[in-house]
Structure formats: structure tokens, C-alpha cells
């Protein structure tokens, strides 16, 4: 428990964190990695280069300060991050390192404005928050290790099959090298894959959604080849998987994790909305419902540039023909001639409110949303505009969490 004086001091720093939060987190990561380069075996280098991790941590610190007098309010966010930490293999000892360099960063950026009183208050507050993470993560480690087929840390898997799903996305079917059973999971969860590419000093860990229903003797991940753009470098691990990992290759996996999961108990209809590689958790959810003979009405909506980049199109379309409770519709921004000839495009352009009203026959539903941040911001805003309640919209980010505040960008 924090004293009222400590709470008051932390609250007083909220305006400062709003302005200087990202400067503090940039300073934090730079000094911590300089002193502890071994931590580069854990952190996503691409997210560091793009500033996504710094922004996410700054938002987390700011939110914690805002709710320091009621930390229960941020427990959902804590649990979401704790899932990622468990999947990455974060251990309690590393929290002490983070605390040391976070306080140094506050002092380094704020200078004399970071008084001894402020630093002491943040030291106390950080310990309370760290203890909450550690406790939750210890429970998650125990659960992952003790269930049937479970394990602790990373386990060696073999690529049993490699299947190209589109011009950008390839599926990898992964079976345990030891031949023993594997733990089940909930549709929407992910695994972490750990690889050290040849010639690279550090291991790299990436998290990929499981793209099939649970209960199989394998895990399937479907990975998009990430190419460089104006705001991002080539995806080191996605390209390595596509170019160098073949059938028979060995990789290291942590047990499934994540809190973006399909609610199998709620009887309401389900609407699955995805863009690009965001289709992977939606296919897992779709397969799970249909394989369990779920009779709920399902609407499957996917946005892609065209059929060449659209993974699992034939699979979903075939399921829609076989199951009367499934309706599938696609949006293509740049349809190929073959798409138009085969009448596979239900809408040219972006998902908008008018189209969503047209294709969602039962709006009193649970909505699951996954894709790029730009895609999700736009679709989230469109869903709100047609009267969907915020608590009915569930979403997942690939990478650090960001804001889904309504934006003006197109999908």
C-alpha cells in the first residue's frame, strides 16, 4: 500500500509525464541496454527502432500515475502485458534492473525538477506495480507449465509443414521435437518463437497468433513477410522464417499466451473483422466455432488489397458454403482482374459504416477486430458510428498496444 503523500506526489507528476513521457522512456531504454546488453535477447529490436516500445511504455507509466490511487483500474492492462512477459520469459530479477534505469531516466530528463521526494515516491510506486506484475506472471508461469502438455520457458519444435497461403503469408505447422503432447489454447492466443539468425549477436523473439483451432497435434502460425517501408525496416524474423526456415527446421517456442480470446459461452452472434495478417486469429476463432458445432450466427469480414494478398480466402469461402450460420464478405482496395471475373469481391474500397450496416445482419453481436493500427482505428470508429457499444468490441494489436481513438485515416 502506498501512503497518501506518495500518491499525491505521483499524481502531481502526471502533467509532466504527459509532456516528457516518451523522452523519459527513450532515455531509459538507451541507458539500460548500454548497461545490460543481454536484455537485447528479449526486446523486439524493430519496435525499438520504430519507437513503438518507447511510446507504449510511456503510455503505461502515464496511465499508472493517473490511477495510482486505484491500481485495480489498470489490472486488465497489467494482465495483457503480463501475458506478453510470460511468453517472452521475463523473470522477477529483471524488474529490479528496469526500476533502476527508469528512475535514472526520470532524473536524466527532468533534471532538478525530479526532486528527491519525487524520485522516492516513484521508487515506492514502481515497486508496488512491479510486485503486481511479478505475482500475476508467476501464476501464469505455473499455469503454462502444469497443464497437460505444458512446459516452462522455451521448447524445441520442428517444422512439419510449410504452406504458402498468399503472396505475403506462409503457414508453418510446428510439432514438438520430443514427440510428447502439447498444451491446448484458446482461439486468439499466440506463441513466442525464438531465433538467432546467422551472424546476429542477439536472439530475436517474435509473437505470432495461432491460426488454427486448438486440439490438433501441431501449432500453426501464419506469418506475413514484412517488407520495408517509409516508417519501418524489413521484418528480420518474418523474412528469416520465409527465406531460411524449411520443413525439418527446428525452432524454440514458448507456451501459448494472450488475453484476446473468443468467448465460447456468450450466445450472441459473432462478427470477425480483419485486415491483412489480422486474419490469423479470426481463422482460429472461426475454425474453433465451426469444429465445435457452434450454432451462433457468424459474420466474417476481411479487408485486403486483392486476392493475391488474401490468405485463407478459399478456406473461408468453402466454410461459408458448408455452414448456413456463416456469412463471409471481403473488401479489396485494389482488386485484380481475376477477382472481378470470379465475382469474389463484395466491396471495392474500404470498410465503411454503410457497408457494415448492409452486411451485418445481426448487430447485437460480439465484435472481434484485428489488423494494422490504421485499419483498426478506422473500423473501430465506423462500428461506434453505427451504434456498436464499446464493450462489445474486442481487439488485438500485433506489437505494443496503441490507442484506438477515432481517426480519419482510411482502412
Amino acid at each position: 500500500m502506498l501512503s497518501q503523500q506518495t500518491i499525491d506526489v505521483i499524481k502531481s507528476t502526471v502533467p509532466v509525464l504527459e509532456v516528457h513521457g516518451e523522452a523519459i522512456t527513450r532515455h531509459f531504454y538507451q541507458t539500460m541496454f548500454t548497461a545490460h546488453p543481454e536484455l537485447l535477447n528479449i526486446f523486439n529490436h524493430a519496435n525499438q527502432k520504430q519507437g513503438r516500445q518507447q511510446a507504449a511504455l510511456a503510455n503505461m507509466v502515464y496511465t499508472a500515475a493517473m490511477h495510482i490511487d486505484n491500481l485495480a483500474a489498470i489490472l486488465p492492462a497489467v494482465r495483457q502485458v503480463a501475458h506478453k512477459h510470460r511468453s517472452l520469459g521475463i523473470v522477477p530479477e529483471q524488474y529490479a534492473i528496469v526500476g533502476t534505469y527508469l528512475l535514472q531516466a526520470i532524473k536524466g530528463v527532468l533534471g532538478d525538477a525530479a526532486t528527491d521526494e519525487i524520485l522516492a515516491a516513484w521508487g515506492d510506486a514502481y515497486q508496488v506495480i512491479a510486485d503486481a506484475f511479478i505475482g500475476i506472471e508467476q501464476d501464469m508461469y505455473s499455469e503454462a507449465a502444469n497443464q497437460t502438455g505444458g512446459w516452462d520457458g522455451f521448447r524445441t519444435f520442428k517444422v512439419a509443414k510449410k504452406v504458402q497461403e498468399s503472396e505475403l503469408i506462409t503457414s508453418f505447422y510446428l510439432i514438438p521435437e520430443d514427440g510428447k503432447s502439447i498444451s491446448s489454447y484458446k482461439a486468439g492466443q499466440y506463441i513466442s518463437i525464438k531465433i538467432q539468425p546467422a551472424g546476429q549477436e542477439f536472439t530475436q523473439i517474435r509473437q505470432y497468433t495461432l491460426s488454427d483451432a486448438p486440439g490438433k497435434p501441431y501449432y500453426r502460425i501464419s506469418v506475413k513477410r514484412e517488407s520495408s517501408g517509409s516508417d519501418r525496416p524489413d521484418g528480420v524474423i518474418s523474412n528469416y522464417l520465409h527465406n531460411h526456415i524449411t520443413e525439418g527446421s527446428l525452432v524454440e517456442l514458448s507456451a501459448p499466451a494472450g488475453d484476446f480470446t473468443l468467448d465460447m459461452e456468450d450466445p450472441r452472434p459473432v462478427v470477425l473483422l480483419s485486415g491483412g495478417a489480422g486474419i490469423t486469429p479470426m481463422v482460429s476463432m472461426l475454425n474453433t466455432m465451426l469444429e465445435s458445432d457452434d450454432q451462433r450466427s457468424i459474420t466474417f469480414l476481411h479487408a485486403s488489397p486483392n486476392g493475391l494478398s488474401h490468405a485463407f480466402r478459399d478456406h473461408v469461402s468453402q466454410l461459408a458454403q458448408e455452414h448456413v450460420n456463416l456469412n463471409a464478405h471481403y473488401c479489396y482496395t485494389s482488386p485484380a482482374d481475376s477477382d472481378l471475373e470470379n465475382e469474389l469481391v463484395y466491396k471495392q474500397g474500404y470498410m465503411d459504416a454503410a457497408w457494415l450496416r448492409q452486411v451485418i445482419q445481426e448487430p447485437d453481436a460480439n465484435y472481434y477486430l484485428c489488423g494494422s493500427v490504421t485499419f483498426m482505428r478506422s473500423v473501430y470508429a465506423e462500428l461506434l458510428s453505427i451504434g456498436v457499444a464499446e464493450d462489445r468490441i474486442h481487439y488485438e494489436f500485433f506489437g505494443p498496444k496503441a490507442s484506438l481513438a477515432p481517426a480519419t485515416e482510411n482502412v
Side-chain angles (χ1 to χ4, degrees):
M1 296 293 293
L2 296 172
S3 70
Q4 188 60 49
Q5 181 181 359
T6 296
I7 290 172
D8 292 341
V9 171
I10 296 297
K11 285 276 195 181
S12 74
T13 66
V14 168
V16 177
L17 293 174
E18 188 172 14
V19 175
H20 299 288
E22 288 193 42
I24 290 171
T25 55
R26 285 194 300 269
H27 187 290
F28 157 72
Y29 281 117
Q30 181 180 2
T31 56
M32 184 178 69
F33 289 146
T34 298
H36 292 274
E38 73 278 6
L39 294 179
L40 288 168
N41 287 304
I42 299 173
F43 284 85
N44 186 312
H45 301 191
N47 287 337
Q48 290 289 325
K49 290 179 181 178
Q50 296 173 61
R52 297 176 68 194
Q53 196 70 58
Q54 295 89 329
L57 178 59
N59 183 64
M60 190 70 184
V61 172
Y62 175 77
T63 302
M66 286 277 291
H67 297 281
I68 197 67
D69 53 347
N70 180 26
L71 288 176
I74 66 169
L75 272 180
V78 170
R79 291 193 60 83
Q80 182 184 56
V81 175
H83 272 285
K84 293 184 180 293
H85 285 179
R86 200 280 294 158
S87 182
L88 292 169
I90 300 296
V91 296
E93 294 76 16
Q94 290 164 338
Y95 278 94
I97 297 173
V98 168
T100 296
Y101 289 95
L102 183 59
L103 292 179
Q104 286 187 14
I106 293 173
K107 181 65 175 178
V109 171
L110 301 184
D112 292 341
T115 63
D116 290 344
E117 183 183 35
I118 287 175
L119 293 175
W122 265 107
D124 291 343
Y126 173 80
Q127 193 58 58
V128 168
I129 296 168
D131 287 344
F133 273 104
I134 291 169
I136 291 171
E137 288 162 20
Q138 286 179 335
D139 289 342
M140 290 179 175
Y141 278 112
S142 295
E143 181 181 357
N146 294 329
Q147 64 178 293
T148 301
W151 70 95
D152 189 19
F154 285 82
R155 180 178 175 186
T156 303
F157 279 68
K158 180 172 69 174
V159 178
K161 187 166 61 172
K162 182 178 178 181
V163 178
Q164 186 168 349
E165 307 288 1
S166 73
E167 64 178 5
L168 295 175
I169 294 176
T170 294
S171 287
F172 299 82
Y173 291 72
L174 307 166
I175 59 175
E177 185 189 31
D178 59 19
K180 296 180 181 179
S181 64
I182 56 176
S183 57
S184 188
Y185 58 91
K186 296 179 180 179
Q189 290 192 304
Y190 54 80
I191 51 88
S192 283
I193 185 167
K194 179 167 68 173
I195 291 175
Q196 186 163 7
Q200 297 227 358
E201 181 179 1
F202 301 103
T203 60
Q204 303 251 1
I205 302 176
R206 296 293 186 274
Q207 291 161 334
Y208 294 109
T209 304
L210 294 157
S211 62
D212 204 350
K216 309 292 196 304
Y218 58 80
Y219 293 139
R220 185 179 74 180
I221 59 173
S222 302
V223 180
K224 178 186 175 184
R225 181 194 296 272
E226 296 290 350
S227 300
S228 60
S230 59
D231 61 344
R232 65 185 186 279
D234 277 341
V236 173
I237 297 304
S238 70
N239 279 278
Y240 188 86
L241 288 169
H242 278 257
N243 297 336
H244 300 289
I245 297 298
T246 60
E247 293 179 359
S249 295
L250 300 179
V251 295
E252 301 292 312
L253 303 185
S254 64
D259 63 348
F260 175 66
T261 57
L262 175 67
D263 186 343
M264 292 295 290
E265 303 301 325
D266 194 320
R268 292 186 184 92
V270 171
V271 180
L272 306 173
L273 305 102
S274 57
I279 197 170
T280 53
M282 303 310 166
V283 169
S284 177
M285 293 179 183
L286 178 64
N287 289 354
T288 298
M289 285 187 284
L290 296 181
E291 289 179 19
S292 64
D293 198 29
D294 195 314
Q295 295 301 308
R296 283 178 291 180
S297 173
I298 307 167
T299 303
F300 191 100
L301 307 178
H302 181 67
S304 189
N306 50 55
L308 298 175
S309 60
H310 182 174
F312 301 109
R313 182 182 67 185
D314 292 344
H315 171 72
V316 174
S317 296
Q318 182 63 38
L319 290 177
Q321 292 179 15
E322 297 171 354
H323 297 270
V324 296
N325 60 322
L326 169 62
N327 290 290
H329 304 279
Y330 313 130
C331 273
Y332 289 169
T333 52
S334 305
D337 290 341
S338 58
D339 298 326
L340 300 175
E341 291 168 3
N342 295 328
E343 298 182 347
L344 288 173
V345 181
Y346 288 84
K347 174 178 170 57
Q348 293 185 48
Y350 303 105
M351 289 188 185
D352 55 30
W355 186 74
L356 292 172
R357 285 194 185 95
Q358 176 186 343
V359 298
I360 299 173
Q361 301 301 313
E362 298 185 68
D364 182 25
N366 283 316
Y367 295 76
Y368 295 87
L369 177 61
C370 189
S372 70
V373 174
T374 300
F375 168 84
M376 291 200 295
R377 281 176 178 159
S378 179
V379 175
Y380 186 81
E382 298 295 336
L383 290 174
L384 294 179
S385 76
I386 65 173
V388 177
E390 287 185 59
D391 62 359
R392 294 284 184 85
I393 307 174
H394 315 281
Y395 51 88
E396 173 76 318
F397 287 92
F398 291 144
K401 187 175 180 180
S403 171
L404 279 194
T408 58
E409 300 100 327
N410 284 327
V411 181

